[in-house]
């Protein structure tokens, strides 16, 4: 019985770690005035995010993975992942925190960090 319970918890815990984060979020506008919709979903034992819509006319951006390897770090936060700035073509170490329908996403290269607040698309 004990092994069955441990097995069930091993299956349920990752599902609970992704509860609430899965869905589509709108980014803030970038320096060009463009923004995108990012679909956040589980990919293995982490969270990934891909562009599903963009206000720019860059059709090649659709489907681009810009968030990956985000590991659960508590009930509503993820860390140790990466995020790509598709305009600057730079990858940053990243972390995220979800509060209701607001997702705070930050990325750093060394001591230089940037953050955005993304909102859930309904």
């Amino acid at each position: 019985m004990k092994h069955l319970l441990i097995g069930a918890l091993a299956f349920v815990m990752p599902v609970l770690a992704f509860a609430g984060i899965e869905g589509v979020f709108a980014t803030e506008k970038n320096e060009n005035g463009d923004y995108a919709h990012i679909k956040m979903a589980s990919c293995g034992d982490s969270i990934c995010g891909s562009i599903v819509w963009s206000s720019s006319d860059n059709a090649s951006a659709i489907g681009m993975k810009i968030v990956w390897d985000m590991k659960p770090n508590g009930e509503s936060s993820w860390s140790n992942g990466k995020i790509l700035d598709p305009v600057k073509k730079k990858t940053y170490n990243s972390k995220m925190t979800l509060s209701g329908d607001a997702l705070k996403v930050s990325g750093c290269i060394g001591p230089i960090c940037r953050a955005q607040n993304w909102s859930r698309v309904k």
Side-chain angles (χ1 to χ4, degrees):
M1 182 70 170
K2 181 178 176 182
H3 294 294
L4 181 59
L5 180 59
I6 291 170
L9 285 175
F11 175 75
V12 171
M13 292 307 288
V15 172
L16 293 176
F18 302 143
I21 188 69
E22 293 186 309
V24 178
F25 291 84
T27 67
E28 290 182 13
K29 290 182 178 179
N30 65 18
E31 49 275 353
N32 298 330
D34 295 321
Y35 66 100
H37 289 177
I38 311 301
K39 182 176 183 180
M40 304 299 286
S42 63
C43 50
D45 63 347
S46 61
I47 289 289
C48 298
S50 299
I51 298 173
V52 293
W53 179 87
S54 175
S55 67
S56 74
D57 56 2
N58 183 1
S60 66
I62 305 302
M64 180 184 298
K65 188 181 287 188
I66 66 164
V67 175
W68 63 94
D69 291 341
M70 297 298 261
K71 304 287 187 211
N73 184 25
E75 187 175 319
S76 59
S77 64
W78 298 262
S79 60
N80 298 319
K82 300 289 184 186
I83 188 164
L84 171 71
D85 180 336
V87 174
K88 294 182 178 183
K89 306 282 192 249
K90 290 187 179 182
T91 301
Y92 302 87
N93 294 321
S94 184
K95 61 183 178 179
M96 307 182 302
T97 304
L98 182 67
S99 178
D101 287 334
L103 182 63
K104 182 176 182 179
V105 181
S106 61
C108 301
I109 293 180
I112 300 170
C113 298
R114 295 176 43 201
Q116 282 195 348
N117 292 305
W118 296 358
S119 56
R120 187 179 302 277
V121 175
K122 298 198 180 204

